[in-house]
Every structure is written in structure tokens, then in C-alpha cells.
Amino acid sequence: MPKPRAVIFDLDDTLIERRAMLNVFARLFLHRYFPSAAGTAHDRIYETFLRVDDGGNTARPGFFHLFYDALGITERPPDNELFAFWNEHFADHTVLVPGAEDTLRALKADGCLLGMITNGNPVLQNHKIDRSGFRGLFDDIIVSGTFGCDKPDPRIFRASIATLGVAADEAIYIGDNLVNDIHGAHSAGMRAVWANYFGRVNTTEYRPDYEIHTVAELRALNLG
């Protein structure tokens, strides 16, 4: 296969550290909505928040309903209020993956087109992108909530390479989710790199073309 003309990235836990951001937001949320919680009670609420989030797999705003149910609390703020609080504050403390900016700039300097495909609410995802400072480095950014379908639907990958003006075999996709990112990119005819920063074991049927453990490793791969 040829050296890629376009390198397309996922956002959460590929270029920014969603886990670190969630830890900060969870404490902010507890300070706002559980101000009197202390000690083991505080810890239980905090741990429940992280568990119900399930690495971002629990969709908002329904997450909050599940969270309060898990705590056995029936009196709660309206879901729309909690969802608005999430959209307003979660991205305030956007944490970059170490080496992400340097890697993006190096790929750009090497002549690669840069794309991004991220699932999620456009308000929140665009807030993250703006806070990251990455927006100006990308030639195309697609947020699924605006596009109309989510990864792993191959249509969203095909839309990205069409906008970038490259063929599927001239692009490579980097993401942390084996289904949404690896399977999705393969379904569109692209190669895929698994951003496995947390040392997970692949128990799925999906096999990436490459695996990296830091984003900086992407620059050392023989992608040609």
C-alpha cells in the first residue's frame, strides 16, 4: 500500500485524555450537586459516577438518570439541567494526550492531510476541539452529531476521505475503539491504527493493521 496522503484521527482517548477529564468533571459535578457529601459517602458517589459513565459508552443525557438510579436517589435535578451542566463544563479542563500536538505538527510538516472523525454531541465535541487548540491543524473535522450517523458506519469515514480528496487506500485512521474506529475504518476500505494507550487486550474479532501505545509512536511506523 502507498504511504498515506491523509491521516485521520479519533478525538477522545486518542488525541485528548477523556479519562483524566472525567475525573476532574466528576469532582466538579459532586461539588455542585452533592455539596454535603464527605468521606466514604463522597467516594461512593464519585466511584458510581465513573462506573456508570463506562468510558463514555453510556449516552448522555440518559447517563444522569442511570447514575441517580444507581445511587437509589429519586429526588433529582431535571435531566436537561444536568445535561446542560455537562455540555458547559466537561470540556473546560481538556487534557491533551502527551505528544499529540507534536505528532500532528510533524505529520503536517511531512505533507499529510489531517482529518478527524469523532462521535458525539456537536456542542460538546466542538468545545473539546476548541479547548485543545488543534482545530487549525486539521483539514477536515466531522462530528457525528452534525453528520447524521456515528462510527462505525462506513459512510462517515467515506465522507471524510471524500472531503480530503483521497482514496481509501491513501488514508489511515487512528483510534482507541476497536469497533467504532478499527472496524469502522476497515469497513470503508482504510487501514487502521489502534491507539492502545492503556495496555488493553484485544478480545474482539477486529484486528488493527498497527498498534501504538503512545501517539508519538505513530511517527515511527512504516506506513508505506
Side-chain angles (χ1 to χ4, degrees):
M1 285 187 174
K3 181 177 179 180
R5 291 178 54 206
V7 183
I8 307 173
F9 289 85
D10 170 51
L11 178 62
D12 293 296
D13 286 328
T14 299
L15 291 175
I16 63 174
E17 293 190 8
R18 186 186 183 280
R19 294 186 182 195
M21 294 165 61
L22 185 70
N23 290 340
V24 174
F25 177 81
R27 299 188 187 283
L28 178 66
F29 182 86
L30 265 64
H31 180 73
R32 170 66 176 82
Y33 289 102
F34 296 86
S36 61
T40 57
H42 179 279
D43 293 345
R44 182 176 72 89
I45 298 168
Y46 175 77
E47 290 164 5
T48 301
F49 193 98
L50 301 186
R51 175 174 58 79
V52 175
D53 176 76
D54 188 28
N57 291 316
T58 305
R60 253 75 355 183
F63 160 81
F64 295 103
H65 190 80
L66 295 172
F67 165 68
Y68 278 94
D69 281 352
L71 294 173
I73 298 174
T74 55
E75 295 293 328
R76 64 191 71 174
D79 282 353
N80 60 348
E81 175 189 330
L82 299 171
F83 188 44
F85 187 82
W86 169 267
N87 280 336
E88 183 177 356
H89 294 291
F90 181 69
D92 285 346
H93 303 281
T94 295
V95 179
L96 307 187
V97 166
E101 183 174 355
D102 288 344
T103 299
L104 292 173
R105 292 190 181 280
L107 291 169
K108 196 79 172 175
D110 198 34
C112 290
L113 297 166
L114 297 182
M116 181 190 298
I117 307 171
T118 176
N119 281 356
N121 177 286
V123 173
L124 179 61
Q125 296 306 93
N126 279 301
H127 190 182
K128 293 175 188 175
I129 295 164
D130 289 334
R131 290 302 296 260
S132 74
F134 291 153
R135 187 179 295 277
L137 295 173
F138 282 87
D139 300 286
D140 182 54
I141 295 174
I142 298 178
V143 179
S144 72
T146 300
F147 182 75
C149 71
D150 295 334
K151 298 178 294 182
D153 192 313
R155 291 176 295 176
I156 200 167
F157 294 90
R158 291 173 185 145
S160 178
I161 60 176
T163 300
L164 293 171
V166 299
D169 65 355
E170 296 177 313
I172 195 163
Y173 190 84
I174 296 89
D176 69 298
N177 189 294
L178 286 159
V179 178
N180 289 346
D181 298 321
I182 305 308
H183 171 56
H186 282 167
S187 297
M190 299 166 58
R191 285 177 292 165
V193 178
W194 185 27
N196 185 18
Y197 305 152
F198 303 105
R200 291 171 293 160
V201 175
N202 183 358
T203 59
T204 74
E205 63 186 292
Y206 307 118
R207 295 293 178 262
D209 298 284
Y210 308 92
E211 180 177 336
I212 57 175
H213 300 95
T214 68
V215 72
E217 290 176 32
L218 187 64
R219 296 162 61 183
L221 290 181
N222 178 17
L223 300 177

